[in-house]
Amino acid sequence: AAYALVQIMLGLTDGVLYGPISACTTVCAHAVGASNPNLAGQYIQIAISMYLLSSIPIIVFWWTYMEDVILYIEWGDAETAALAQDFTRVYIWTYVLGGVSTSLWQLLEVAGHVVEGTIVSIAWGVVNVLVTSCMIFGRPTKTTTLFEVGVAYVITSALFVGFTYGY
């Protein structure tokens, strides 16, 4: 329940911040079509900067108030809200990494590397499923916490963002 609550809350607020990133496909396509790939790169840099700067208040808000919000709207008990708060403090970084990754993926898309970007995205999903499954089912003597799953997800997300950037 805590995982779902965090996904809902972070997803709703993060979706609002995706405006500059969503616009990148259009403006970067125009820049590449005008044979100006440097301008496309600048658009991506501006979008990432705007996304990261506008994410700061959202990160601070959810870092501080996730538990209070869940209790206020009565979507869970105190234990669920506390789990959601702990999980938020790790998992929120996957949204930040996701915004950067989406920007980079859109640059790959307009540059004609859709297949490569799709392969990276699929590999990212498969690795996340495998890592999470190994953590949950591969450790019979120890119970995996939601916090540990969040840490694993952040690490794999960071690795794939780095891989995408390196590509």
Side-chain angles (χ1 to χ4, degrees):
Y3 179 85
L5 290 171
V6 170
Q7 287 281 42
I8 291 168
M9 300 297 194
L10 294 180
L12 286 174
T13 53
D14 191 63
V16 173
L17 304 177
Y18 259 76
I21 293 171
S22 298
C24 278
T25 302
T26 303
V27 295
C28 286
H30 287 285
V32 169
S35 299
N36 194 348
N38 289 335
L39 184 60
Q42 289 174 344
Y43 286 146
I44 292 294
Q45 290 172 351
I46 291 168
I48 289 172
S49 298
M50 289 175 65
Y51 175 77
L52 292 175
L53 287 173
S54 61
S55 292
I56 292 170
I58 301 299
I59 290 168
V60 170
F61 177 79
W62 288 126
W63 186 283
T64 308
Y65 297 112
M66 178 63 81
E67 184 173 4
D68 296 333
V69 170
I70 290 172
L71 292 173
Y72 180 77
I73 60 177
E74 298 179 359
W75 277 9
D77 59 5
E79 182 183 357
T80 302
L83 283 171
Q85 183 71 61
D86 290 341
F87 183 60
T88 297
R89 291 185 175 153
V90 172
Y91 195 70
I92 198 164
W93 302 111
T94 63
Y95 278 88
V96 174
L97 290 167
V100 172
S101 175
T102 300
S103 297
L104 295 173
W105 194 88
Q106 288 181 345
L107 185 59
L108 289 174
E109 180 182 353
V110 298
H113 298 286
V114 176
V115 173
E116 293 89 343
T118 303
I119 290 169
V120 169
S121 295
I122 291 169
W124 183 8
V126 168
V127 167
N128 281 325
V129 168
L130 290 174
V131 167
T132 305
S133 297
C134 287
M135 289 182 72
I136 294 172
F137 302 113
R139 298 168 35 175
T141 59
K142 185 173 188 273
T143 303
T144 302
T145 65
L146 193 55
F147 182 83
E148 292 170 336
V149 171
V151 169
Y153 197 80
V154 169
I155 291 169
T156 58
S157 298
L159 290 173
F160 276 100
V161 169
F163 179 78
T164 304
Y165 180 73
Y167 182 78

